Amino acid sequence: MSVLSERPGFNKAARQHYLSLAKGSVCLVTYIWIDITGEYLQCKTKILDTEPSGVKDIPEWDASWLRDGRVNEVLLVPVRMFRDPFNLDPNKLVLCEVLDSNCVPTETNQRSQCAKVMEQVRQFHPWFGLEQEYRLFGLDGQLFGWPPQESSATQGYCSEPTNRMYGRDICTSHCNACLYAGVKICGTNPEGKPSLWEFQVGPCEGIEIGDHLWVARYILQRVCEDFGVVATLDPKPIATARGTSGCHANFSTEEMRSEGGLQHIEEAIRRLSKRHSQHLRVYDPHGGKDNQRRLTSQRCTSSFFDFSAATAQRNVSVRIPGHVSRKGRGYLEDRRPAANCDPYAVIRALAETCLLGITGED
Ligand code: ADP
Ligand code: MN
Ligand code: MN
Ligand code: MN
């Protein structure tokens, strides 16, 4: 790690003294919300007199919202509570929706619309599982752990050798912190490129997956802060470096998971094939621009412009996993969402196209 990378970590031993001070029976609740970029999170902490038993016990709270150079006020509405893996029990993390001064969801509050759609498709029991890839950087702006003499452009495939495994502490610490918090993390893996990692969340029914993924992202940023590294969800943070980051969306309905489910998976894929451009518009926070850099048809990525699907192949838009095909039921995997996607927009599009039968332009 570079000297620069050590700076913001401060001295954790010194901090330990303050954390060990008795502070009475108060409860620290850290409010987390998606900011005006739709891509990044903000937080602030409120001290409650007693431990809340659920979101209903956590008060709404105002926050400032910088828009076009002006500071407005917005309302934070708690929607899902987790245990706090940083301040520990009884402290909480709480994910919030953001409403404007007229109590209307702000433009980056995609959860609100998504929740309505999830309500409409409730009878299908839609499950989602997301695979969040991220890339680690040092605070010097270099890919984390990469020897400076080794050009990022020449990096080949990476497997287990010690000198190429950069950042495992982040991956394992993040996983443990998610488990403590109650985030439904279900796996982790290093990717084929140094300092590129993945964790998976799910399966969750409906809107819950978006809440769990956003809180998992928050926890990732906090863990990285403690280690003095930076995780980016940019799908291609260095144009010349190999390796891109996605957020594959796995999706199923009760029918798909049951006997004869494969035919329902194939029907969903037929519907998806007719709305490729509509999906790509909402699969990254910049209307498709980020995915245009990522989905170049090169090195295991599919085409930004054309839809493709296959069984047990990974250079396609949508894949039927091999084990699903063999069993004849299960789920499909949409490989197009970028790592920085808003999961609420992704699962909403999947539900609208596959379950509500929405066709054509939106
Ligand atoms: P890959 O082989 O694409 O790397 P992973 O093992 O990384 O797959 O991720 C699989 C994802 O699929 C996980 O997020 C998991 O929660 C999700 N998943 C598993 N079963 C289902 C299902 N029936 N419906 C939706 N998602 C599912
Ligand atoms: Mn995976
Ligand atoms: Mn992966
Ligand atoms: Mn995948």
Side-chain angles (χ1 to χ4, degrees):
M1 202 192 293
S2 73
V3 175
L4 260 179
S5 300
E6 287 165 15
R7 244 186 357 197
F10 294 116
N11 180 340
K12 302 298 179 193
R15 185 184 64 172
Q16 203 48 44
H17 167 72
Y18 300 96
L19 291 184
S20 68
L21 297 176
K23 55 184 186 290
S25 60
V26 296
C27 180
L28 275 54
V29 180
T30 299
Y31 289 56
I32 302 165
W33 67 98
I34 300 163
D35 73 7
I36 195 152
T37 64
E39 195 176 351
Y40 300 106
L41 291 163
Q42 290 191 12
C43 69
K44 60 177 185 173
T45 300
K46 194 181 204 51
I47 297 163
L48 301 185
D49 291 338
T50 52
E51 180 182 354
S53 65
V55 272
K56 61 174 192 336
D57 295 340
I58 302 177
E60 296 176 351
W61 202 7
D62 291 333
S64 51
W65 193 253
L66 188 67
R67 189 175 207 289
D68 303 328
R70 284 182 43 206
V71 184
N72 295 322
E73 207 173 77
V74 289
L75 187 65
L76 306 177
V77 181
V79 292
R80 204 175 291 275
M81 187 178 87
F82 296 85
R83 291 168 74 199
D84 182 340
F86 306 104
N87 291 315
L88 307 182
D89 289 336
N91 305 301
K92 309 293 179 201
L93 302 178
V94 69
L95 183 72
C96 300
E97 274 199 33
V98 183
L99 306 184
D100 68 15
S101 50
N102 300 315
C103 284
V104 174
T106 54
E107 64 265 45
T108 54
N109 177 353
Q110 305 219 46
R111 186 184 191 278
S112 170
Q113 278 303 317
C114 178
K116 287 184 190 143
V117 172
M118 288 303 141
E119 204 44 52
Q120 280 176 272
V121 299
R122 199 194 180 104
Q123 72 275 19
F124 293 98
H125 297 286
W127 289 6
F128 301 95
L130 298 171
E131 302 166 50
Q132 177 69 66
E133 293 177 339
Y134 58 94
R135 197 127 207 191
L136 297 177
F137 282 76
L139 287 158
D140 50 9
Q142 298 294 315
L143 276 166
F144 176 67
W146 286 31
Q149 68 273 23
E150 238 180 303
S151 150
S152 53
T154 60
Q155 287 284 345
Y157 195 81
C158 155
S159 51
E160 286 290 340
T162 307
N163 62 351
R164 301 194 131 222
M165 195 49 68
Y166 306 127
R168 194 190 296 280
D169 283 349
I170 305 295
C171 176
T172 49
S173 303
H174 171 258
C175 182
N176 267 23
C178 283
L179 290 170
Y180 181 95
V183 167
K184 287 190 185 166
I185 191 166
C186 63
T188 67
N189 61 267
E191 285 293 331
K193 299 285 171 291
S195 53
L196 183 55
W197 294 85
E198 171 180 317
F199 64 85
Q200 298 103 37
V201 177
C204 297
E205 187 158 332
I207 196 86
E208 188 186 24
I209 189 74
D211 300 346
H212 282 246
L213 185 73
W214 275 113
V215 172
R217 285 175 175 177
Y218 174 80
I219 292 173
L220 178 64
Q221 299 303 345
R222 288 285 305 267
V223 168
C224 285
E225 185 184 319
D226 277 347
F227 281 93
V229 298
V230 176
T232 178
L233 304 188
D234 186 304
K236 195 158 185 179
I238 297 183
T240 52
R242 291 189 183 179
T244 55
S245 321
C247 185
H248 300 163
N250 299 274
F251 165 55
S252 66
T253 58
E254 193 159 43
E255 281 178 329
M256 295 179 193
R257 295 187 293 271
S258 309
E259 188 75 37
L262 196 57
Q263 72 185 76
H264 297 285
I265 293 173
E266 285 165 350
E267 173 57 23
I269 294 175
R270 255 192 303 281
R271 291 180 181 194
L272 289 169
S273 73
K274 301 203 175 91
R275 293 189 88 225
H276 183 63
S277 62
Q278 284 82 3
H279 278 250
L280 279 172
R281 215 180 299 141
V282 298
Y283 277 9
D284 71 56
H286 297 106
K289 286 205 187 81
D290 292 336
N291 257 331
Q292 224 157 3
R293 293 184 282 124
R294 164 180 168 247
L295 300 177
T296 56
S297 309
Q298 287 179 333
R299 300 193 188 102
C300 268
T301 64
S302 61
S303 164
F304 179 84
F305 300 101
D306 300 307
F307 182 88
S308 56
T311 298
Q313 267 182 42
R314 290 173 181 247
N315 56 348
V316 290
S317 314
V318 173
R319 153 181 169 252
I320 299 177
H323 65 91
V324 171
S325 159
R326 284 189 294 277
K327 262 193 270 166
R329 61 195 171 88
Y331 59 94
L332 62 84
E333 178 194 39
D334 190 338
R335 300 174 61 81
R336 298 170 295 176
N340 58 353
C341 68
D342 186 332
Y344 302 124
V346 172
I347 66 169
R348 176 185 168 186
L350 284 168
E352 286 180 337
T353 301
C354 301
L355 306 181
L356 295 180
I358 293 180
T359 54
E361 298 293 319
D362 40 14

